[in-house]
């Protein structure tokens, strides 16, 4: 190989948004690690940024569940008089400050890119340095549900608005990119009331922007067994983890049996 063409990293993991479904990332990563597929860099959006940060901070995937054990959704958020959102993320930021060793992104043991949406200027932003808890919260900040997170005078919301599967942030620097998409585009049944119609439309928009990103990766894992989990069901994290682990194990076994390798 021409050394001039050698890329900075061997394997990168791109982790999608997905709210509570993000715990499936941990199960997928656990299966990948057990098959000696390890990330040299991670790029995450929303729940993917949260999971990626805990892993990059030196925790094995199955151990990350311990940080959330015993917590409920309302422990990590605060209901407020709706002005910019129904909930404030201060408690979530405090939780991250208490449980992550790294204070800044650049302090993590594995490089991490956190994608959020600059809501003031309408563009994706890919954080590679700066205060870790605030930038995770910004990436996770679903509009309307949560108050936007203000960083250096700019309001940020969920990175999934423009890029819910951040493969392109890794492609030019990685030999191989593993994309884990816990929010595949599925048209499950929906109760036809105004709130569900709004949420369904919102999720379709988020998921649709993953289509071009999916084509760029070298290994794609998408758990389709996550329908039916409420975004408030933090107590089901271990069950969601197992679903991700099961899917990844099946995908790896199938590819090895058919092709003798997992890569495209």
């Amino acid at each position: 190989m021409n050394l001039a063409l050698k890329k900075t990293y061997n394997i990168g993991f791109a982790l999608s948004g997905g709210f509570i479904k993000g715990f499936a990332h941990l199960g997928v990563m656990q299966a990948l690690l057990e098959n000696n597929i390890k990330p040299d860099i991670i790029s995450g959006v929303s729940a993917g940024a949260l999971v990626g940060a805990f892993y990059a901070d030196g925790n094995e995937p199955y151990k990350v569940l311990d940080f959330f054990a015993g917590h409920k959704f309302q422990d990590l958020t605060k209901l407020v008089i709706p002005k910019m959102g129904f909930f404030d993320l201060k408690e979530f930021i405090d939780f991250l400050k208490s449980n992550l060793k790294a204070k800044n992104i650049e302090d993590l043991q594995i490089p991490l890119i956190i994608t959020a949406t600059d809501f003031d200027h309408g563009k994706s932003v890919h954080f590679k340095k700066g205060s870790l808890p605030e930038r995770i919260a910004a990436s996770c900040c679903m509009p309307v549900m949560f108050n936007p997170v203000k960083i250096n005078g700019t309001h940020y919301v969920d990175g999934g608005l423009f890029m819910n599967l951040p493969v392109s942030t890794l492609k030019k620097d990685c030999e191989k990119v593993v994309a884990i998409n816990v929010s595949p585009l599925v048209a499950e049944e929906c109760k036809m009331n105004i709130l569900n119609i709004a949420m369904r439309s919102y999720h379709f928009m988020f998921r649709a922007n993953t289509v071009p990103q999916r084509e760029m990766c070298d290994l794609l894992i998408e758990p389709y067994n996550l329908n039916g989990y409420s975004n408030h069901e933090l107590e089901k994290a271990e069950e969601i983890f197992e679903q991700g682990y099961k899917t990844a194990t099946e995908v790896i076994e199938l590819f090895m049996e058919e092709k003798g390798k997992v890569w495209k």
Side-chain angles (χ1 to χ4, degrees):
M1 178 186 290
N2 185 342
L3 292 179
L5 299 178
K6 186 172 176 61
K7 297 187 177 180
T8 307
Y9 304 102
N10 184 24
I11 296 175
F13 281 11
L15 310 181
S16 78
F19 214 105
I20 198 70
K21 296 176 184 178
F23 287 106
H25 281 308
L26 295 168
V28 173
M29 292 170 72
Q30 187 68 44
L32 290 168
L33 293 174
E34 289 173 6
N35 284 274
N36 204 33
I37 301 172
K38 303 176 182 180
D40 302 297
I41 185 172
I42 299 169
S43 183
V45 170
S46 194
L50 174 64
V51 166
F54 272 94
Y55 178 75
D57 203 37
N59 303 289
E60 287 194 59
Y62 74 93
K63 294 295 290 180
V64 175
L65 293 173
D66 294 342
F67 291 99
F68 295 88
H71 287 286
K72 294 182 178 180
F73 175 81
Q74 51 266 41
D75 297 333
L76 304 181
T77 58
K78 181 182 179 182
L79 186 64
V80 294
I81 297 172
K83 183 179 179 183
M84 294 186 290
F86 287 100
F87 297 93
D88 185 82
L89 289 172
K90 182 181 182 303
E91 279 77 5
F92 180 54
I93 291 172
D94 289 343
F95 167 82
L96 295 174
K97 287 179 177 178
S98 298
N99 289 285
L100 288 166
K101 296 187 292 290
K103 303 307 176 188
N104 298 302
I105 298 175
E106 58 268 36
D107 300 331
L108 291 164
Q109 296 178 26
I110 297 172
L112 175 69
I113 302 170
I114 296 175
T115 294
T117 298
D118 177 341
F119 201 60
D120 294 340
H121 304 96
K123 62 181 181 180
S124 280
V125 174
H126 311 294
F127 293 114
K128 298 180 182 179
K129 60 182 181 179
S131 175
L132 182 58
E134 281 81 7
R135 281 153 181 79
I136 293 172
S139 184
C140 292
C141 185
M142 187 179 288
V144 181
M145 179 174 284
F146 301 117
N147 286 338
V149 175
K150 196 172 184 180
I151 301 173
N152 297 330
T154 299
H155 294 93
Y156 292 94
V157 297
D158 199 316
L161 214 59
F162 288 128
M163 184 184 290
N164 204 42
L165 184 64
V167 176
S168 58
T169 61
L170 296 173
K171 193 63 182 172
K172 70 180 186 302
D173 294 320
C174 295
E175 297 290 343
K176 296 278 194 293
V177 178
V178 178
I180 307 172
N181 182 20
V182 298
S183 293
L185 191 54
V186 178
E188 64 269 16
E189 289 186 17
C190 171
K191 292 180 181 178
M192 288 300 177
N193 59 51
I194 190 166
L195 180 60
N196 282 326
I197 289 171
M199 290 302 294
R200 183 182 178 87
S201 301
Y202 182 77
H203 287 137
F204 277 3
M205 286 187 288
F206 263 49
R207 294 172 187 178
N209 69 44
T210 67
V211 175
Q213 297 289 323
R214 291 166 79 254
E215 302 303 315
M216 300 180 195
C217 69
D218 300 285
L219 171 62
L220 175 65
I221 299 178
E222 293 183 305
Y224 281 88
N225 48 7
L226 302 176
N227 293 334
Y229 289 106
S230 165
N231 282 336
H232 294 170
E233 293 182 304
L234 195 56
E235 65 275 10
K236 293 193 176 178
E238 189 170 343
E239 185 178 321
I240 297 169
F241 173 99
E242 292 296 339
Q243 297 283 27
Y245 182 85
K246 179 176 181 287
T247 296
T249 300
E250 290 173 352
V251 168
I252 292 167
E253 288 177 352
L254 179 64
F255 282 2
M256 291 302 295
E257 186 178 316
E258 290 184 349
K259 302 190 302 180
K261 60 179 183 178
V262 299
W263 310 109
K264 287 181 181 177

